[in-house]
Amino acid sequence: DAIIRVRDITVQFGNTRVLDGLDLDVKRGEILGFVGPSGAGKSVLTRTIIGLVPKVSGRIEVFGVDLDAASSAQRRAVERRWGILFQQGALFSSLTVRQNIQFPAREYLRVSQRLLDEIMVAKLVMVGLKPEVADRYPSELSGGMIKRVALARALALDPELVFLDEPTSGLDPIGAGDFDELVRTLQRTLGLTVFMVTHDLDSLYTACDRIAVLGNGKIIAAGSIADMKASQ
Ligand code: ADP
Ligand code: ADP
């Protein structure tokens, strides 16, 4: 039961082939850790799945919808079911926490300011932050709080699927461990499916159900941590 199905995709910038006939499934309800050397194309794959990078060939389905064949209304319906935490520019620095979290809801929902505020507070609480931080700017938050607010924004539309690009980068080990635990809890309580790009070995061990390794533009290994150890 795949939420994301990637088949034989090739992505190229000029003459440089970054993804080369790559196949990958992300199953419903799993936390997939996506790893590989720096520059291997992890961010490129993430951005290709969400439709920000054009591919030379191949097919991608999310929630069973082929986004290339989808109408713009179908595409919006799919976008409404996922949340994204980008590594860079995780938050808009000129917007408050409130405005950051409400950004996707303003884009995709037509609801009153009062309901937007209720959604925002619920999401702050969900990620372990106090509602009092709502009117702060990102520059007034710690690194760990920024990641949590970015996660709250990714959760704003009650997604079934979230993309997390290096969510623990820049956090100390304790902060990173807390974040991983939070992701695990959300998976359990909300049934979230998580596609997580990471360099963090602790995250792979504590948060991920399965790992896929990118190398030479393809998935060169995939399985649980136990499988990976056994095959070494
Ligand atoms: P990773 O996330 O695994 O560290 P990236 O996906 O960021 O790697 O990048 C993979 C390769 O694709 C790198 O060589 C990068 O420079 C290149 N790349 C990424 N985006 C672009 C782009 N828009 N134009 C040209 N090259 C790009
Ligand atoms: P990340 O660190 O999140 O993987 P990158 O630093 O690889 O992100 O990329 C940041 C932005 O720059 C992205 O939009 C990416 O497409 C673009 N980019 C990365 N490498 C290149 C490149 N060699 N040429 C042009 N654009 C690039």
Side-chain angles (χ1 to χ4, degrees):
D1 193 9
I3 291 259
I4 301 175
R5 185 173 288 125
V6 175
R7 287 295 175 272
D8 200 20
I9 65 156
T10 295
V11 171
Q12 198 161 314
F13 298 105
N15 292 324
T16 311
R17 194 161 275 206
V18 177
L19 304 178
D20 187 11
L22 182 145
D23 293 314
L24 180 66
D25 277 355
V26 182
K27 298 171 199 160
R28 182 179 295 276
E30 78 174 343
I31 301 182
L32 180 81
F34 189 51
V35 300
S38 191
K42 300 182 297 297
S43 291
V44 167
L45 177 61
T46 311
R47 291 199 297 263
T48 305
I49 294 170
I50 61 183
L52 296 181
V53 172
K55 52 192 181 298
V56 175
S57 60
R59 181 180 172 88
I60 297 175
E61 288 175 13
V62 186
F63 307 119
V65 178
D66 177 348
L67 293 176
D68 287 326
S71 67
S72 61
Q74 285 169 324
R75 202 193 142 73
R76 257 179 93 80
V78 168
E79 287 169 355
R80 198 178 153 335
R81 295 168 68 188
W82 72 40
I84 305 169
L85 189 164
F86 285 109
Q87 179 183 10
Q88 265 141 16
L91 296 179
F92 301 112
S93 56
S94 60
L95 302 183
T96 62
V97 166
R98 177 194 310 277
Q99 292 164 332
N100 267 287
I101 296 174
Q102 292 178 346
F103 198 85
R106 279 184 197 287
E107 174 71 26
Y108 289 95
L109 309 179
R110 300 192 66 84
V111 295
S112 66
Q113 182 61 45
R114 209 182 111 221
L115 189 52
L116 286 175
D117 279 335
E118 279 175 21
I119 293 172
M120 185 238 1
V121 169
K123 301 310 166 192
L124 278 178
V125 171
M126 192 177 275
V127 301
L129 293 173
K130 296 205 173 81
E132 288 86 82
V133 303
D135 294 309
R136 293 206 210 158
Y137 285 89
S139 61
E140 302 169 300
L141 305 175
S142 70
M145 289 167 85
I146 287 175
K147 298 289 186 180
R148 280 169 193 265
V149 173
L151 183 61
R153 186 176 60 190
L155 296 171
L157 299 174
D158 296 325
E160 296 155 65
L161 166 67
V162 291
F163 295 91
L164 306 178
D165 192 353
E166 298 277 3
T168 59
S169 72
L171 300 186
D172 61 52
I174 293 175
D178 289 348
F179 190 94
D180 289 336
E181 208 169 294
L182 172 61
V183 173
R184 266 290 189 205
T185 303
L186 295 173
Q187 175 205 28
R188 266 190 235 113
T189 55
L190 306 176
L192 268 186
T193 303
V194 180
F195 179 92
M196 177 159 78
V197 175
T198 186
H199 276 109
D200 187 333
L201 279 177
D202 288 331
S203 294
L204 293 173
Y205 274 95
T206 60
C208 296
D209 300 302
R210 214 159 60 87
I211 295 169
V213 184
L214 178 64
N216 298 317
K218 294 185 175 67
I219 303 299
I220 53 174
S224 68
I225 292 255
D227 293 342
M228 297 260 183
K229 277 183 162 172
S231 67
Q232 268 175 8

